[in-house]
Amino acid sequence: MFGQNLEVQLSSARTEDTTVVWKSFHDSITLIVLSSEAGTSELRLERLLQMVFGAMVLLVGLEELTNISNIERLKKELRASYGLIDSLLGDSELIGDLTQCVDCVVPPEGSLLQEALSGFAEAAGTNFASLVVSGRVVVATESWWRLGTPEAVLLPWLVGSLPPQAARDYPVYLPHGSPTVPHRLLTLTLLPGLELCLVCGPRPPLSQLDPQLLERWWQPMLDPLRACLPLGPRALPAGFPLHTDILGLLLLHLELKRCLFTVEPSGDKDPSPEQRRCVLRSFYTLVTAVHFPPEPGQQEDKAEDAAQQPQVPKACYLVSGTEEPGTGWRLVALQSGPRRLLLLLSAQSPVHGLRGLATRTLHALTPLL
């Protein structure tokens, strides 16, 4: 506040063991986040604040947050967003909060599921429909994919964070597309952990989505649907050929704003899945903040500044644990067109082969995303 009075913008501060980041939204709400996690980056905390504000708009609406007439009523209404915000603050298996891309999985029979979903959405009278497993999108209609940030990330995240229910009719605002007029998020559980999600207006009523309509479109799809259930943590279909040294991967399509993220591509080797997620998240913030150019939709440098950067990195790698052979891990990132691949590899992987391995893996994954 002292800086603001002097027209100085101060966005973060550090103490010996804590990083503090704050951000004002619409000159109305200021959010402050403090983190004492080792190596926490300001990029990560800034994006967390954007997602938290998005979650507040999603469930309360922008009008309530910008024209505050009764602070006590607003506090009560914001309780509806606590569960979603808690899941953003916790150790999630997802990464969309950081990458601002939608967490996806690749189903074995995607075209069949896509056809059934499009047919069902048309029969239900909405353009916005998706199948979600463990907070990740399996397939979605074209209109659903065109949802803006942050709702494209937050809607599946919200569904994944709610306790299981056979059906829901949930009022939501779309922070980018419709921040002041509420829509309805309808969810129907097809199998435990696999939900059908629709975004619509006043129609159709939930009662119209009767069992006969569901059976007509989804009963013939039972086997393809069951095949989606194990995809949650793995993201890729069983049997997809990945090098045995790969302990985790993150593939981003920066134009489509979608990503594949898994730390369980192979058997149970050290480090633990939690550690792998933590390492890949840290590596993502490093390469995004330091090595690679700004992502589409982010603050771009002016043309004259860009002209002074003759070389844009295409790849980078990081090696840990080199003091003791066979310990630690390797990390490599590769940028190719709109795709960015980050790999976490075991210590056995030779450093001189990292780029070749990443290139081959990206080539194999390209048809999927």
Side-chain angles (χ1 to χ4, degrees):
M1 289 174 74
F2 175 76
Q4 257 181 338
N5 292 334
L6 300 173
E7 296 184 3
V8 172
Q9 188 179 353
L10 191 62
S11 58
S12 65
R14 285 181 185 269
T15 68
E16 205 170 289
D17 58 358
T18 305
T19 305
V20 187
V21 173
W22 56 90
K23 188 171 174 62
S24 270
F25 296 89
H26 299 271
D27 293 324
S28 175
I29 298 278
T30 299
L31 296 178
I32 306 170
V33 60
L34 297 89
S35 175
S36 53
E37 281 181 28
T40 295
S41 75
E42 288 171 19
L43 173 83
R44 185 195 156 202
L45 296 179
E46 283 166 9
R47 292 193 175 181
L48 174 64
L49 290 182
Q50 289 168 1
M51 281 292 159
V52 168
F53 185 73
M56 292 160 70
V57 176
L58 186 81
L59 297 171
V60 174
L62 189 60
E63 188 73 26
E64 292 289 331
L65 296 168
T66 51
N67 296 323
I68 303 169
S69 55
N70 184 328
I71 192 74
E72 292 305 319
R73 193 182 75 200
L74 178 62
K75 284 182 189 175
K76 284 180 186 169
E77 289 179 344
L78 280 173
R79 284 178 194 157
S81 64
Y82 285 1
L84 179 54
I85 292 171
D86 282 345
S87 73
L88 290 166
L89 295 174
D91 292 324
S92 173
E93 292 183 359
L94 308 176
I95 201 169
D97 60 315
L98 178 61
T99 62
Q100 298 180 331
C101 295
V102 181
D103 284 278
C104 300
V105 298
V106 181
E109 299 187 71
S111 55
L112 282 176
L113 293 171
Q114 185 73 57
E115 205 174 305
L117 182 69
S118 300
F120 179 82
E122 194 177 330
T126 178
N127 293 322
F128 299 89
S130 68
L131 279 179
V132 174
V133 62
S134 309
R136 301 161 177 89
V137 175
V138 181
V139 289
T141 58
E142 278 185 39
S143 295
W144 183 285
W145 285 128
R146 284 200 294 268
L147 287 169
T149 305
E151 54 258 38
V153 173
L154 286 171
L155 285 171
W157 196 295
L158 171 65
V159 172
S161 70
L162 292 170
Q165 267 182 293
R168 301 186 195 90
D169 191 340
Y170 214 82
V172 292
Y173 297 82
L174 304 179
H176 176 78
S178 179
T180 55
V181 178
H183 284 62
R184 292 161 64 227
L185 173 65
L186 306 182
T187 70
L188 298 153
T189 299
L190 299 180
L191 292 170
L194 180 66
E195 298 190 67
L196 175 61
C197 304
L198 309 171
V199 172
C200 53
R203 303 190 60 79
L206 190 58
S207 57
Q208 190 180 311
L209 305 176
D210 52 38
Q212 286 86 359
L213 185 64
L214 284 172
E215 278 179 28
R216 180 183 150 205
W217 289 101
W218 298 110
Q219 192 68 37
M221 294 288 119
L222 213 46
D223 287 338
L225 289 171
R226 283 198 186 106
C228 297
L229 296 177
L231 289 175
R234 186 180 157 79
L236 299 167
F240 185 83
L242 281 178
H243 196 283
T244 52
D245 285 348
I246 296 174
L247 301 177
L249 71 84
L250 169 62
L251 174 65
L252 302 150
H253 196 299
L254 300 174
E255 287 175 5
L256 297 178
K257 303 294 274 183
R258 302 178 204 171
C259 66
L260 294 172
F261 180 49
T262 179
V263 292
E264 300 180 30
S266 53
D268 295 325
K269 302 178 192 171
D270 286 332
S272 69
E274 292 76 21
Q275 278 181 293
R276 296 180 194 188
R277 273 193 290 275
C278 185
V279 169
L280 267 174
R281 288 177 75 97
S282 297
F283 187 50
Y284 170 82
T285 56
L286 173 72
V287 300
T288 303
V290 178
H291 296 301
F292 290 145
E295 292 163 14
Q298 307 240 327
Q299 192 65 44
E300 300 287 348
D301 291 336
K302 290 178 184 167
E304 56 266 28
D305 293 343
Q308 291 169 8
Q309 299 174 343
Q311 293 177 319
V312 176
K314 294 290 182 193
C316 62
Y317 72 92
L318 191 150
V319 176
S320 85
T322 47
E323 302 84 13
E324 300 174 44
T327 64
W329 46 72
R330 319 300 191 217
L331 289 151
V332 60
L334 191 65
Q335 178 94 23
S336 176
R339 291 178 180 84
R340 181 179 301 170
L341 176 67
L342 282 69
L343 293 179
L344 170 63
L345 300 154
S346 66
Q348 285 73 36
S349 200
V351 174
H352 63 82
L354 292 180
R355 185 164 185 174
L357 174 54
T359 304
R360 289 191 299 275
T361 306
L362 181 58
H363 185 70
L365 290 168
T366 294
L368 304 182
L369 190 65

